Amino acid sequence: MDDETTQPHAKSICILGGGAMGTACSIVLSEKPTNSIRLWVRNPVFASHIAETRENTRLLPGVRIPRSVAVTSDQRRALAGADIVLVCVPTRAIRDSLGSLLEHIPTSSLMVSAVKGIEVETLVRPSEIIQDVLGSRSVVALGGPCHAEEAAVGKPATVVAASDDSAATEIVQRTFSNRHFRVYSSSDLRGVELAGALKNVIAIAAGIGDGLEFGDNAKSALITRGLAEMVRFGTAMGVNAQTFYGLAGIGDLIATCGSRHSRNRRVGELLGRGTTLAEIQESMQAVAEGVYTAKSIYAIASQQNVDMPIARAVHDVLFEGKSPSQATEELMLRPLKQE
């Protein structure tokens, strides 16, 4: 049996983003005493607050951040000598955030993305945004069911790390895995990222059903047919359909459609109850990626002529003023066909 100490293992890790996921990842990674963790928070006041209280009171109240995690808004200090740079900012903030940090990111750093979305303006994935800003380098994407609220307190979680670079994937596996957090590997970077983006849109639909009190039968069918849409979309994009039957696909889809921690499901639930999107966004303290991704998926599906009735319905409720009840009725009354 291989000795773990002889295997590739990054020790200096900078996490970009003081949101729930960035905070949770800092706690997960700090479990290995050999890891040196720095959490970069853009807002200096908020960074100081977290550093002093050892708690992200806004997004993960009551969860203790170990003293070994250095919290800072200082770009140079956060990124100096980083073996791994873990991106945990919303999709729409990746380009600006990395642009502002560009001179401080070591050229040798392995870039890892925990972001699940598609950029609205360019229709590209997080790893592609990273490479666009930083130039050609290996990027590893993390996918799978991993609510920050659970991972941060040591509840078991299992994810997948995907990259075209198998050596980079192995480094991430060994760096992130511990007794509470298990990491599988995949070579399907595009498939894992698309699955992570698509499931958020389906989760909004599941939440709409919750808001309308449709019950378990409807949600089960919605998840099943939502997965069919995800596979159809992925196949059209040339990725391995099998990826969507793994952790990044059905695994994350189940968690996001059913959990009280899911912001995307919550957006849908509020829409189903009659709250407007503007009111929902104003009340939420964190980004629900599915809202923006719905635009991206709708645009790509239209360009590629991919049939995405659930995703299209979510788009129309979010941006075309269609009522949740009307969108549901139209889905139910579509022409009958084989499964």
Side-chain angles (χ1 to χ4, degrees), residues 289-331:
E289 288 276 17
V291 173
Y292 303 98
T293 304
K295 276 189 176 182
S296 303
I297 295 300
Y298 178 82
I300 296 172
S302 298
Q303 291 174 4
Q304 301 296 324
N305 196 29
V306 182
D307 186 27
M308 303 280 287
I310 298 172
R312 185 174 61 249
V314 170
H315 173 273
D316 289 351
V317 170
L318 289 171
F319 304 112
E320 300 296 335
K322 185 171 289 185
S323 74
S325 296
Q326 180 186 355
T328 302
E329 184 173 338
E330 290 177 0
L331 281 173

mmCIF file of all heavy atoms in Angstrom, residues 289-331:
data_model
loop_
_atom_site.group_PDB
_atom_site.id
_atom_site.type_symbol
_atom_site.label_atom_id
_atom_site.label_comp_id
_atom_site.label_asym_id
_atom_site.label_seq_id
_atom_site.Cartn_x
_atom_site.Cartn_y
_atom_site.Cartn_z
ATOM 1 N N GLU A 289 -26.918 30.555 -8.242
ATOM 2 C CA GLU A 289 -26.325 30.491 -9.586
ATOM 3 C C GLU A 289 -27.340 30.132 -10.670
ATOM 4 O O GLU A 289 -27.219 30.553 -11.818
ATOM 5 C CB GLU A 289 -25.189 29.465 -9.608
ATOM 6 C CG GLU A 289 -23.937 29.895 -8.876
ATOM 7 C CD GLU A 289 -23.013 30.752 -9.732
ATOM 8 O OE1 GLU A 289 -23.461 31.287 -10.763
ATOM 9 O OE2 GLU A 289 -21.845 30.903 -9.350
ATOM 10 N N GLY A 290 -28.352 29.341 -10.320
ATOM 11 C CA GLY A 290 -29.299 28.874 -11.318
ATOM 12 C C GLY A 290 -30.067 29.983 -12.015
ATOM 13 O O GLY A 290 -30.488 29.825 -13.160
ATOM 14 N N VAL A 291 -30.244 31.115 -11.338
ATOM 15 C CA VAL A 291 -30.974 32.232 -11.947
ATOM 16 C C VAL A 291 -30.238 32.719 -13.181
ATOM 17 O O VAL A 291 -30.828 32.912 -14.249
ATOM 18 C CB VAL A 291 -31.149 33.381 -10.935
ATOM 19 C CG1 VAL A 291 -31.745 34.611 -11.616
ATOM 20 C CG2 VAL A 291 -32.033 32.933 -9.778
ATOM 21 N N TYR A 292 -28.932 32.920 -13.051
ATOM 22 C CA TYR A 292 -28.141 33.395 -14.188
ATOM 23 C C TYR A 292 -27.901 32.279 -15.199
ATOM 24 O O TYR A 292 -27.923 32.494 -16.407
ATOM 25 C CB TYR A 292 -26.809 33.949 -13.679
ATOM 26 C CG TYR A 292 -26.988 35.050 -12.665
ATOM 27 C CD1 TYR A 292 -26.900 34.776 -11.299
ATOM 28 C CD2 TYR A 292 -27.288 36.348 -13.060
ATOM 29 C CE1 TYR A 292 -27.091 35.771 -10.353
ATOM 30 C CE2 TYR A 292 -27.476 37.349 -12.115
ATOM 31 C CZ TYR A 292 -27.381 37.060 -10.769
ATOM 32 O OH TYR A 292 -27.579 38.047 -9.837
ATOM 33 N N THR A 293 -27.679 31.062 -14.684
ATOM 34 C CA THR A 293 -27.424 29.929 -15.572
ATOM 35 C C THR A 293 -28.626 29.627 -16.453
ATOM 36 O O THR A 293 -28.473 29.150 -17.577
ATOM 37 C CB THR A 293 -27.036 28.686 -14.754
ATOM 38 O OG1 THR A 293 -25.908 28.997 -13.940
ATOM 39 C CG2 THR A 293 -26.688 27.517 -15.656
ATOM 40 N N ALA A 294 -29.836 29.902 -15.957
ATOM 41 C CA ALA A 294 -31.036 29.665 -16.765
ATOM 42 C C ALA A 294 -30.971 30.440 -18.084
ATOM 43 O O ALA A 294 -31.395 29.946 -19.133
ATOM 44 C CB ALA A 294 -32.289 30.060 -15.984
ATOM 45 N N LYS A 295 -30.438 31.656 -18.031
ATOM 46 C CA LYS A 295 -30.268 32.446 -19.254
ATOM 47 C C LYS A 295 -29.267 31.785 -20.197
ATOM 48 O O LYS A 295 -29.483 31.692 -21.407
ATOM 49 C CB LYS A 295 -29.777 33.856 -18.910
ATOM 50 C CG LYS A 295 -30.855 34.842 -18.520
ATOM 51 C CD LYS A 295 -30.266 36.245 -18.431
ATOM 52 C CE LYS A 295 -31.356 37.272 -18.128
ATOM 53 N NZ LYS A 295 -30.791 38.652 -18.092
ATOM 54 N N SER A 296 -28.151 31.337 -19.622
ATOM 55 C CA SER A 296 -27.095 30.726 -20.431
ATOM 56 C C SER A 296 -27.562 29.431 -21.081
ATOM 57 O O SER A 296 -27.328 29.192 -22.276
ATOM 58 C CB SER A 296 -25.862 30.461 -19.557
ATOM 59 O OG SER A 296 -25.404 31.632 -18.942
ATOM 60 N N ILE A 297 -28.215 28.580 -20.290
ATOM 61 C CA ILE A 297 -28.688 27.291 -20.817
ATOM 62 C C ILE A 297 -29.732 27.521 -21.909
ATOM 63 O O ILE A 297 -29.733 26.841 -22.944
ATOM 64 C CB ILE A 297 -29.274 26.425 -19.683
ATOM 65 C CG1 ILE A 297 -28.183 26.052 -18.676
ATOM 66 C CG2 ILE A 297 -29.937 25.174 -20.250
ATOM 67 C CD1 ILE A 297 -27.029 25.264 -19.259
ATOM 68 N N TYR A 298 -30.621 28.467 -21.684
ATOM 69 C CA TYR A 298 -31.639 28.782 -22.680
ATOM 70 C C TYR A 298 -30.985 29.220 -23.985
ATOM 71 O O TYR A 298 -31.389 28.784 -25.082
ATOM 72 C CB TYR A 298 -32.561 29.882 -22.151
ATOM 73 C CG TYR A 298 -33.635 30.319 -23.116
ATOM 74 C CD1 TYR A 298 -34.816 29.591 -23.246
ATOM 75 C CD2 TYR A 298 -33.480 31.461 -23.898
ATOM 76 C CE1 TYR A 298 -35.806 29.976 -24.138
ATOM 77 C CE2 TYR A 298 -34.467 31.856 -24.785
ATOM 78 C CZ TYR A 298 -35.626 31.117 -24.901
ATOM 79 O OH TYR A 298 -36.605 31.521 -25.788
ATOM 80 N N ALA A 299 -29.960 30.058 -23.907
ATOM 81 C CA ALA A 299 -29.285 30.551 -25.110
ATOM 82 C C ALA A 299 -28.571 29.422 -25.847
ATOM 83 O O ALA A 299 -28.676 29.304 -27.077
ATOM 84 C CB ALA A 299 -28.295 31.653 -24.733
ATOM 85 N N ILE A 300 -27.846 28.582 -25.097
ATOM 86 C CA ILE A 300 -27.110 27.484 -25.735
ATOM 87 C C ILE A 300 -28.074 26.467 -26.338
ATOM 88 O O ILE A 300 -27.885 25.998 -27.468
ATOM 89 C CB ILE A 300 -26.179 26.799 -24.722
ATOM 90 C CG1 ILE A 300 -25.115 27.779 -24.237
ATOM 91 C CG2 ILE A 300 -25.521 25.571 -25.354
ATOM 92 C CD1 ILE A 300 -24.268 27.242 -23.091
ATOM 93 N N ALA A 301 -29.116 26.107 -25.600
ATOM 94 C CA ALA A 301 -30.091 25.136 -26.106
ATOM 95 C C ALA A 301 -30.765 25.647 -27.370
ATOM 96 O O ALA A 301 -31.029 24.874 -28.304
ATOM 97 C CB ALA A 301 -31.135 24.831 -25.033
ATOM 98 N N SER A 302 -31.046 26.938 -27.420
ATOM 99 C CA SER A 302 -31.654 27.527 -28.611
ATOM 100 C C SER A 302 -30.688 27.469 -29.792
ATOM 101 O O SER A 302 -31.081 27.130 -30.912
ATOM 102 C CB SER A 302 -32.063 28.978 -28.335
ATOM 103 O OG SER A 302 -33.027 29.050 -27.308
ATOM 104 N N GLN A 303 -29.425 27.777 -29.545
ATOM 105 C CA GLN A 303 -28.418 27.746 -30.608
ATOM 106 C C GLN A 303 -28.209 26.339 -31.145
ATOM 107 O O GLN A 303 -28.077 26.127 -32.357
ATOM 108 C CB GLN A 303 -27.089 28.295 -30.083
ATOM 109 C CG GLN A 303 -27.071 29.786 -29.784
ATOM 110 C CD GLN A 303 -25.770 30.220 -29.137
ATOM 111 O OE1 GLN A 303 -24.830 29.416 -28.971
ATOM 112 N NE2 GLN A 303 -25.678 31.481 -28.761
ATOM 113 N N GLN A 304 -28.183 25.356 -30.234
ATOM 114 C CA GLN A 304 -27.881 23.971 -30.605
ATOM 115 C C GLN A 304 -29.133 23.150 -30.899
ATOM 116 O O GLN A 304 -29.038 21.960 -31.201
ATOM 117 C CB GLN A 304 -27.101 23.311 -29.467
ATOM 118 C CG GLN A 304 -25.787 24.005 -29.135
ATOM 119 C CD GLN A 304 -24.798 23.950 -30.276
ATOM 120 O OE1 GLN A 304 -24.725 22.960 -31.010
ATOM 121 N NE2 GLN A 304 -24.023 25.016 -30.441
ATOM 122 N N ASN A 305 -30.291 23.776 -30.779
ATOM 123 C CA ASN A 305 -31.568 23.097 -31.036
ATOM 124 C C ASN A 305 -31.740 21.865 -30.149
ATOM 125 O O ASN A 305 -32.109 20.775 -30.608
ATOM 126 C CB ASN A 305 -31.678 22.693 -32.519
ATOM 127 C CG ASN A 305 -33.100 22.357 -32.920
ATOM 128 O OD1 ASN A 305 -34.065 22.883 -32.345
ATOM 129 N ND2 ASN A 305 -33.249 21.471 -33.888
ATOM 130 N N VAL A 306 -31.469 22.053 -28.847
ATOM 131 C CA VAL A 306 -31.636 20.977 -27.863
ATOM 132 C C VAL A 306 -32.966 21.183 -27.150
ATOM 133 O O VAL A 306 -33.251 22.273 -26.645
ATOM 134 C CB VAL A 306 -30.484 20.989 -26.832
ATOM 135 C CG1 VAL A 306 -30.641 19.827 -25.853
ATOM 136 C CG2 VAL A 306 -29.137 20.927 -27.535
ATOM 137 N N ASP A 307 -33.776 20.140 -27.092
ATOM 138 C CA ASP A 307 -35.092 20.224 -26.447
ATOM 139 C C ASP A 307 -34.925 20.225 -24.931
ATOM 140 O O ASP A 307 -34.502 19.230 -24.334
ATOM 141 C CB ASP A 307 -35.950 19.035 -26.898
ATOM 142 C CG ASP A 307 -37.379 19.134 -26.373
ATOM 143 O OD1 ASP A 307 -37.848 20.267 -26.143
ATOM 144 O OD2 ASP A 307 -38.015 18.074 -26.203
ATOM 145 N N MET A 308 -35.251 21.344 -24.292
ATOM 146 C CA MET A 308 -35.087 21.503 -22.838
ATOM 147 C C MET A 308 -36.354 22.119 -22.255
ATOM 148 O O MET A 308 -36.363 23.270 -21.801
ATOM 149 C CB MET A 308 -33.888 22.412 -22.546
ATOM 150 C CG MET A 308 -32.569 21.959 -23.140
ATOM 151 S SD MET A 308 -31.788 20.676 -22.158
ATOM 152 C CE MET A 308 -31.232 21.596 -20.739
ATOM 153 N N PRO A 309 -37.463 21.385 -22.232
ATOM 154 C CA PRO A 309 -38.728 21.987 -21.802
ATOM 155 C C PRO A 309 -38.733 22.491 -20.364
ATOM 156 O O PRO A 309 -39.309 23.545 -20.078
ATOM 157 C CB PRO A 309 -39.747 20.859 -21.999
ATOM 158 C CG PRO A 309 -38.940 19.602 -22.090
ATOM 159 C CD PRO A 309 -37.639 19.993 -22.699
ATOM 160 N N ILE A 310 -38.098 21.771 -19.436
ATOM 161 C CA ILE A 310 -38.084 22.234 -18.046
ATOM 162 C C ILE A 310 -37.217 23.475 -17.910
ATOM 163 O O ILE A 310 -37.624 24.472 -17.295
ATOM 164 C CB ILE A 310 -37.592 21.119 -17.103
ATOM 165 C CG1 ILE A 310 -38.534 19.911 -17.149
ATOM 166 C CG2 ILE A 310 -37.471 21.643 -15.671
ATOM 167 C CD1 ILE A 310 -38.029 18.695 -16.391
ATOM 168 N N ALA A 311 -36.040 23.436 -18.478
ATOM 169 C CA ALA A 311 -35.150 24.596 -18.411
ATOM 170 C C ALA A 311 -35.779 25.806 -19.090
ATOM 171 O O ALA A 311 -35.651 26.942 -18.611
ATOM 172 C CB ALA A 311 -33.801 24.265 -19.053
ATOM 173 N N ARG A 312 -36.466 25.565 -20.192
ATOM 174 C CA ARG A 312 -37.139 26.670 -20.887
ATOM 175 C C ARG A 312 -38.256 27.253 -20.028
ATOM 176 O O ARG A 312 -38.438 28.474 -19.966
ATOM 177 C CB ARG A 312 -37.703 26.189 -22.231
ATOM 178 C CG ARG A 312 -38.321 27.309 -23.072
ATOM 179 C CD ARG A 312 -38.733 26.824 -24.452
ATOM 180 N NE ARG A 312 -39.738 25.775 -24.386
ATOM 181 C CZ ARG A 312 -39.527 24.506 -24.719
ATOM 182 N NH1 ARG A 312 -38.327 24.112 -25.130
ATOM 183 N NH2 ARG A 312 -40.498 23.615 -24.644
ATOM 184 N N ALA A 313 -38.995 26.392 -19.345
ATOM 185 C CA ALA A 313 -40.068 26.865 -18.468
ATOM 186 C C ALA A 313 -39.514 27.718 -17.334
ATOM 187 O O ALA A 313 -40.087 28.756 -16.977
ATOM 188 C CB ALA A 313 -40.850 25.674 -17.918
ATOM 189 N N VAL A 314 -38.387 27.290 -16.753
ATOM 190 C CA VAL A 314 -37.758 28.069 -15.688
ATOM 191 C C VAL A 314 -37.328 29.426 -16.218
ATOM 192 O O VAL A 314 -37.545 30.470 -15.579
ATOM 193 C CB VAL A 314 -36.543 27.311 -15.110
ATOM 194 C CG1 VAL A 314 -35.743 28.212 -14.168
ATOM 195 C CG2 VAL A 314 -36.998 26.056 -14.370
ATOM 196 N N HIS A 315 -36.728 29.436 -17.389
ATOM 197 C CA HIS A 315 -36.316 30.703 -18.012
ATOM 198 C C HIS A 315 -37.508 31.640 -18.202
ATOM 199 O O HIS A 315 -37.442 32.834 -17.895
ATOM 200 C CB HIS A 315 -35.654 30.426 -19.366
ATOM 201 C CG HIS A 315 -35.346 31.660 -20.163
ATOM 202 N ND1 HIS A 315 -36.282 32.244 -21.010
ATOM 203 C CD2 HIS A 315 -34.245 32.435 -20.228
ATOM 204 C CE1 HIS A 315 -35.757 33.316 -21.560
ATOM 205 N NE2 HIS A 315 -34.522 33.462 -21.104
ATOM 206 N N ASP A 316 -38.602 31.089 -18.670
ATOM 207 C CA ASP A 316 -39.775 31.927 -18.952
ATOM 208 C C ASP A 316 -40.407 32.469 -17.669
ATOM 209 O O ASP A 316 -40.909 33.590 -17.652
ATOM 210 C CB ASP A 316 -40.809 31.131 -19.744
ATOM 211 C CG ASP A 316 -40.353 30.861 -21.180
ATOM 212 O OD1 ASP A 316 -39.331 31.442 -21.595
ATOM 213 O OD2 ASP A 316 -41.008 30.054 -21.871
ATOM 214 N N VAL A 317 -40.368 31.695 -16.603
ATOM 215 C CA VAL A 317 -40.885 32.182 -15.318
ATOM 216 C C VAL A 317 -39.981 33.283 -14.775
ATOM 217 O O VAL A 317 -40.443 34.313 -14.272
ATOM 218 C CB VAL A 317 -41.010 31.033 -14.297
ATOM 219 C CG1 VAL A 317 -41.300 31.576 -12.905
ATOM 220 C CG2 VAL A 317 -42.111 30.054 -14.724
ATOM 221 N N LEU A 318 -38.669 33.082 -14.894
ATOM 222 C CA LEU A 318 -37.715 34.052 -14.361
ATOM 223 C C LEU A 318 -37.684 35.354 -15.149
ATOM 224 O O LEU A 318 -37.621 36.447 -14.562
ATOM 225 C CB LEU A 318 -36.307 33.448 -14.345
ATOM 226 C CG LEU A 318 -36.027 32.346 -13.320
ATOM 227 C CD1 LEU A 318 -34.664 31.713 -13.593
ATOM 228 C CD2 LEU A 318 -36.068 32.896 -11.903
ATOM 229 N N PHE A 319 -37.739 35.242 -16.477
ATOM 230 C CA PHE A 319 -37.419 36.410 -17.297
ATOM 231 C C PHE A 319 -38.490 36.838 -18.294
ATOM 232 O O PHE A 319 -38.378 37.900 -18.900
ATOM 233 C CB PHE A 319 -36.110 36.148 -18.061
ATOM 234 C CG PHE A 319 -34.965 35.786 -17.175
ATOM 235 C CD1 PHE A 319 -34.424 34.502 -17.207
ATOM 236 C CD2 PHE A 319 -34.433 36.698 -16.278
ATOM 237 C CE1 PHE A 319 -33.364 34.155 -16.384
ATOM 238 C CE2 PHE A 319 -33.381 36.358 -15.451
ATOM 239 C CZ PHE A 319 -32.837 35.085 -15.501
ATOM 240 N N GLU A 320 -39.528 36.032 -18.457
ATOM 241 C CA GLU A 320 -40.560 36.373 -19.440
ATOM 242 C C GLU A 320 -41.922 36.643 -18.802
ATOM 243 O O GLU A 320 -42.911 36.814 -19.518
ATOM 244 C CB GLU A 320 -40.691 35.247 -20.480
ATOM 245 C CG GLU A 320 -39.411 34.967 -21.266
ATOM 246 C CD GLU A 320 -38.989 36.147 -22.121
ATOM 247 O OE1 GLU A 320 -39.863 36.966 -22.494
ATOM 248 O OE2 GLU A 320 -37.778 36.260 -22.412
ATOM 249 N N GLY A 321 -41.974 36.651 -17.496
ATOM 250 C CA GLY A 321 -43.217 36.984 -16.812
ATOM 251 C C GLY A 321 -44.263 35.896 -16.804
ATOM 252 O O GLY A 321 -45.422 36.148 -16.444
ATOM 253 N N LYS A 322 -43.887 34.691 -17.172
ATOM 254 C CA LYS A 322 -44.860 33.586 -17.172
ATOM 255 C C LYS A 322 -45.109 33.136 -15.735
ATOM 256 O O LYS A 322 -44.180 33.029 -14.933
ATOM 257 C CB LYS A 322 -44.338 32.423 -18.008
ATOM 258 C CG LYS A 322 -45.328 31.276 -18.168
ATOM 259 C CD LYS A 322 -44.831 30.259 -19.181
ATOM 260 C CE LYS A 322 -44.894 30.824 -20.594
ATOM 261 N NZ LYS A 322 -44.525 29.799 -21.613
ATOM 262 N N SER A 323 -46.339 32.850 -15.404
ATOM 263 C CA SER A 323 -46.641 32.410 -14.043
ATOM 264 C C SER A 323 -46.208 30.960 -13.864
ATOM 265 O O SER A 323 -46.230 30.164 -14.811
ATOM 266 C CB SER A 323 -48.143 32.534 -13.765
ATOM 267 O OG SER A 323 -48.854 31.518 -14.444
ATOM 268 N N PRO A 324 -45.793 30.571 -12.649
ATOM 269 C CA PRO A 324 -45.428 29.180 -12.394
ATOM 270 C C PRO A 324 -46.539 28.199 -12.746
ATOM 271 O O PRO A 324 -46.277 27.121 -13.282
ATOM 272 C CB PRO A 324 -45.124 29.168 -10.897
ATOM 273 C CG PRO A 324 -44.645 30.553 -10.607
ATOM 274 C CD PRO A 324 -45.504 31.426 -11.476
ATOM 275 N N SER A 325 -47.781 28.568 -12.469
ATOM 276 C CA SER A 325 -48.909 27.677 -12.780
ATOM 277 C C SER A 325 -49.051 27.481 -14.279
ATOM 278 O O SER A 325 -49.270 26.360 -14.758
ATOM 279 C CB SER A 325 -50.203 28.252 -12.201
ATOM 280 O OG SER A 325 -50.150 28.297 -10.793
ATOM 281 N N GLN A 326 -48.926 28.548 -15.045
ATOM 282 C CA GLN A 326 -49.041 28.446 -16.495
ATOM 283 C C GLN A 326 -47.907 27.609 -17.068
ATOM 284 O O GLN A 326 -48.129 26.756 -17.946
ATOM 285 C CB GLN A 326 -49.020 29.836 -17.132
ATOM 286 C CG GLN A 326 -49.133 29.804 -18.662
ATOM 287 C CD GLN A 326 -48.961 31.183 -19.284
ATOM 288 O OE1 GLN A 326 -48.845 32.191 -18.576
ATOM 289 N NE2 GLN A 326 -48.936 31.237 -20.609
ATOM 290 N N ALA A 327 -46.681 27.829 -16.570
ATOM 291 C CA ALA A 327 -45.540 27.062 -17.064
ATOM 292 C C ALA A 327 -45.724 25.574 -16.774
ATOM 293 O O ALA A 327 -45.406 24.726 -17.618
ATOM 294 C CB ALA A 327 -44.261 27.577 -16.417
ATOM 295 N N THR A 328 -46.246 25.264 -15.605
ATOM 296 C CA THR A 328 -46.480 23.866 -15.237
ATOM 297 C C THR A 328 -47.532 23.234 -16.138
ATOM 298 O O THR A 328 -47.362 22.103 -16.630
ATOM 299 C CB THR A 328 -46.941 23.764 -13.769
ATOM 300 O OG1 THR A 328 -45.950 24.338 -12.919
ATOM 301 C CG2 THR A 328 -47.176 22.316 -13.378
ATOM 302 N N GLU A 329 -48.621 23.952 -16.377
ATOM 303 C CA GLU A 329 -49.682 23.421 -17.231
ATOM 304 C C GLU A 329 -49.169 23.159 -18.645
ATOM 305 O O GLU A 329 -49.496 22.132 -19.254
ATOM 306 C CB GLU A 329 -50.856 24.401 -17.274
ATOM 307 C CG GLU A 329 -52.045 23.884 -18.075
ATOM 308 C CD GLU A 329 -53.254 24.793 -17.979
ATOM 309 O OE1 GLU A 329 -53.348 25.565 -17.006
ATOM 310 O OE2 GLU A 329 -54.108 24.711 -18.876
ATOM 311 N N GLU A 330 -48.353 24.059 -19.149
ATOM 312 C CA GLU A 330 -47.816 23.873 -20.495
ATOM 313 C C GLU A 330 -46.897 22.658 -20.560
ATOM 314 O O GLU A 330 -46.885 21.938 -21.568
ATOM 315 C CB GLU A 330 -47.072 25.134 -20.933
ATOM 316 C CG GLU A 330 -48.006 26.322 -21.202
ATOM 317 C CD GLU A 330 -47.245 27.585 -21.556
ATOM 318 O OE1 GLU A 330 -45.997 27.551 -21.597
ATOM 319 O OE2 GLU A 330 -47.903 28.625 -21.783
ATOM 320 N N LEU A 331 -46.124 22.420 -19.484
ATOM 321 C CA LEU A 331 -45.277 21.230 -19.455
ATOM 322 C C LEU A 331 -46.128 19.958 -19.461
ATOM 323 O O LEU A 331 -45.823 18.992 -20.163
ATOM 324 C CB LEU A 331 -44.407 21.245 -18.194
ATOM 325 C CG LEU A 331 -43.162 22.133 -18.195
ATOM 326 C CD1 LEU A 331 -42.520 22.147 -16.808
ATOM 327 C CD2 LEU A 331 -42.150 21.649 -19.237
#
